[in-house]
Amino acid sequence: MVPTIINGSQVPLDSRDLETCQRVFDEVRKDRHVTKDSAEAEFIASIIISLYREGVHDPEQLHSMVEAARGLFQPTE
């Protein structure tokens, strides 16, 4: 039998993980006045999930990193 290597992005999130991600998502949306059904909200959610799966589990650190990532990907006018 060949051993399977599972990286962090393949492990399902449990209810505690989702609760943390939801809390950070709600805080970032509130801070930036982003509506829940917007493309920006989807982008924020994807950043949060990606960072969480990479091992960023501290809510404050996650919030800071999401804010930094959003700044990197803002559209230029």
Side-chain angles (χ1 to χ4, degrees):
M1 178 184 276
V2 177
T4 302
I5 298 173
I6 298 176
N7 66 27
S9 65
Q10 294 174 324
V11 176
L13 301 178
D14 66 21
S15 61
R16 289 172 296 174
D17 299 328
L18 293 173
E19 183 180 311
T20 299
C21 292
Q22 183 69 52
R23 188 171 54 243
V24 173
F25 174 74
D26 291 340
E27 289 172 2
V28 173
R29 274 193 332 98
K30 182 181 173 191
D31 291 350
R32 298 296 171 202
H33 308 289
V34 174
T35 60
K36 194 172 192 173
D37 297 327
S38 67
E40 179 70 9
E42 287 184 28
F43 182 63
I44 291 168
S46 69
I47 294 170
I48 291 169
I49 296 297
S50 294
L51 289 170
Y52 198 91
R53 287 181 180 248
E54 291 299 320
V56 182
H57 296 169
D58 177 68
E60 290 180 18
Q61 185 180 17
L62 191 57
H63 189 283
S64 296
M65 292 179 77
V66 169
E67 289 288 354
R70 282 186 69 244
L72 292 174
F73 299 105
Q74 291 296 316
T76 55
E77 297 178 326

